[in-house]
Amino acid sequence: MPFSKTKLLFIISSLLLCACQEPTEREQAEKLARKQGDDRQLMLIEEVHKILDAPAPTQDQIDTLVKNALSNMVRIEGGEFTMGVNPERMGGDWDGWKPVDGRRQSASIHESAFFEHPVRLSTYYISKFETTYAEFDAFKKATGRDIRFEEDLIGSRYKGYSGYVHDCCRAPNKPAAADWYEAKDYCEWLGEQSGLPITLPTEAQWEYAARERGKWLMFATKWGGVGSLTNRTSKATTEVDALSHSMNDLGLYFMSGNLSEWVLDWYDPDYYQKSPLQDPVNEVPVQAYIRHGVYEHAKVHRGGHQFLDNSLGDSRNVFNRFYAEPERYSFGSVGIRCAINSEKAL
């Protein structure tokens, strides 16, 4: 016997009512945490929702964010320098290397950096700080993007956002981790908001700035080394504007320390051998070994990766070239430092 309209409406209303009464994901997570007596997990759930439930920034707030980002840009006068390093320079004392307490710290250099070649750069700007989670989350909110908490997206937020992630890394003024596409989009969003040509720096721009316009130094710090003065601990990142010993003589913080940083270039282990003299950037992807026999196209990231290698020098020196698939993301992985390809005064 066919349903009457009244019966059909009643069934639909009942189904909708049941659906409305289903506990939310947050309620389910909180219920489980209470059952287990896990106050720590309840706190983490609350912290997650402080971020997820925050409103999108107003245009005034976006304008303030952009103004602050521009005020933190450091002008890097262009010039010519020798990019890369010859392994013969690594032994013995010679003029040029910035010492630490009268001696140089040692470092291990990856083979792909062992080719010295001349590079000439136009004047540009680069941020003195790595992009923070406060800035990156505002960008995500303003553009309607998912906010990550670890390797997973929002769907697994209560599993992915562990106490370790909370304690070590994800605070408003700590460096934001991103995949390459997110990093590039963030910088270009700043450019759209400001009307300036903002994007990620090239690999050559990054090294030139880290080396204080091409000086022979191993670490991008005022005192020439890395250690407890440049990172509070090897198990956590540090607020981007903390620890004055972490900056170099150009005023750039944590180019040795905290997260490493994406650059524009595709990775090619032989790019140095064919790099053009003027403003080089590798725009041609090649297959590179990633891990476990897998070869993929990869983007370069440079600098002080606090979690990649805790030994002195390997991950934190100014020469090493790291690379990963552009989609690669983890909470303690690669961050963002934007640049402006213009010599005009800001």
Side-chain angles (χ1 to χ4, degrees):
M1 189 171 79
F3 281 106
S4 68
K5 287 184 178 180
T6 303
K7 287 183 178 179
L8 185 59
L9 288 171
F10 176 77
I11 292 172
I12 292 172
S13 299
S14 298
L15 290 172
L16 289 173
L17 181 62
C18 290
C20 291
Q21 293 174 339
E22 282 291 319
T24 65
E25 183 183 3
R26 178 179 184 176
E27 290 170 340
Q28 290 175 335
E30 289 175 333
K31 182 178 179 180
L32 178 60
R34 290 192 186 97
K35 183 178 180 180
Q36 295 173 341
D38 192 344
D39 292 337
R40 173 73 165 166
Q41 185 63 18
L42 286 171
M43 181 274 290
L44 293 172
I45 292 170
E46 183 179 354
E47 291 298 319
V48 165
H49 279 277
K50 284 181 182 178
I51 299 167
L52 287 177
D53 300 338
T58 65
Q59 189 58 53
D60 284 346
Q61 289 171 327
I62 292 172
D63 291 343
T64 298
L65 185 156
V66 173
K67 181 179 179 182
N68 289 339
L70 295 182
S71 70
N72 289 327
M73 287 289 176
V74 176
R75 182 182 175 91
I76 309 296
E77 295 295 333
E80 189 167 322
F81 77 116
T82 300
M83 188 172 179
V85 64
N86 188 315
E88 293 180 0
R89 294 192 191 273
M90 308 307 294
D93 292 327
W94 56 282
D95 291 338
W97 290 101
K98 183 184 288 187
V100 180
D101 297 329
R103 60 185 178 84
R104 289 190 287 112
Q105 282 185 331
S106 62
S108 60
I109 309 294
H110 297 179
E111 186 177 349
S112 63
F114 283 143
F115 188 83
E116 293 184 0
H117 59 289
V119 167
R120 184 184 302 137
L121 293 176
S122 303
T123 296
Y124 61 100
Y125 291 81
I126 193 166
S127 178
K128 71 168 66 174
F129 302 125
E130 294 170 306
T131 298
T132 67
Y133 271 113
E135 294 165 327
F136 196 49
D137 286 345
F139 156 72
K140 289 285 192 79
K141 286 281 187 178
T143 57
R145 297 170 185 247
D146 288 329
I147 291 179
R148 303 183 196 242
F149 289 93
E150 200 177 296
E151 282 78 0
D152 298 315
L153 292 173
I154 299 174
S156 300
R157 56 184 172 262
Y158 302 120
K159 295 179 181 178
Y161 191 51
S162 65
Y164 173 65
V165 175
H166 175 75
D167 291 339
C168 83
C169 308
R170 210 188 197 291
N173 204 36
K174 286 191 172 187
D179 68 34
W180 182 86
Y181 296 105
E182 292 175 320
K184 181 171 179 285
D185 287 349
Y186 170 77
C187 294
E188 292 183 350
W189 176 74
L190 287 181
E192 292 168 3
Q193 298 296 321
S194 64
L196 294 169
I198 303 177
T199 188
L200 294 172
T202 66
E203 185 174 13
Q205 287 174 332
W206 191 97
E207 183 171 319
Y208 184 65
R211 288 174 52 189
E212 299 172 6
R213 300 185 64 239
K215 293 179 184 177
W216 290 109
L217 50 84
M218 188 64 69
F219 304 104
T221 60
K222 278 183 174 294
W223 60 293
V226 291
S228 60
L229 290 173
T230 56
N231 271 94
R232 292 194 178 107
T233 169
S234 63
K235 298 179 181 179
T237 53
T238 303
E239 294 83 357
V240 300
D241 56 355
L243 303 182
S244 61
H245 282 86
S246 70
M247 67 177 172
N248 67 8
D249 281 344
L250 297 182
L252 307 176
Y253 282 71
F254 288 115
M255 298 191 90
S256 291
N258 263 348
L259 300 186
S260 62
E261 298 153 14
W262 291 112
V263 296
L264 278 177
D265 302 60
W266 288 100
Y267 177 72
D268 179 347
D270 300 320
Y271 182 65
Y272 280 11
Q273 286 84 340
K274 54 195 174 188
S275 169
L277 173 65
Q278 185 68 43
D279 295 322
V281 54
N282 185 23
E283 299 178 314
V284 181
V286 300
Q287 296 283 346
Y289 178 78
I290 300 295
R291 65 186 72 82
H292 308 307
V294 175
Y295 286 79
E296 296 286 351
H297 297 149
K299 286 289 186 178
V300 178
H301 56 100
R302 299 290 301 264
H305 195 314
Q306 190 65 8
F307 297 95
L308 186 62
D309 191 322
N310 290 332
S311 65
L312 273 182
D314 183 26
S315 58
R316 306 175 194 180
N317 68 68
V318 296
F319 296 106
N320 272 342
R321 308 174 68 207
F322 301 99
Y323 59 94
E325 312 96 311
E327 302 86 0
R328 180 74 173 169
Y329 169 84
S330 70
F331 72 91
S333 184
V334 191
I336 312 165
R337 188 186 301 266
C338 299
I340 305 177
N341 289 311
S342 173
E343 62 180 23
K344 295 180 180 179
L346 297 181

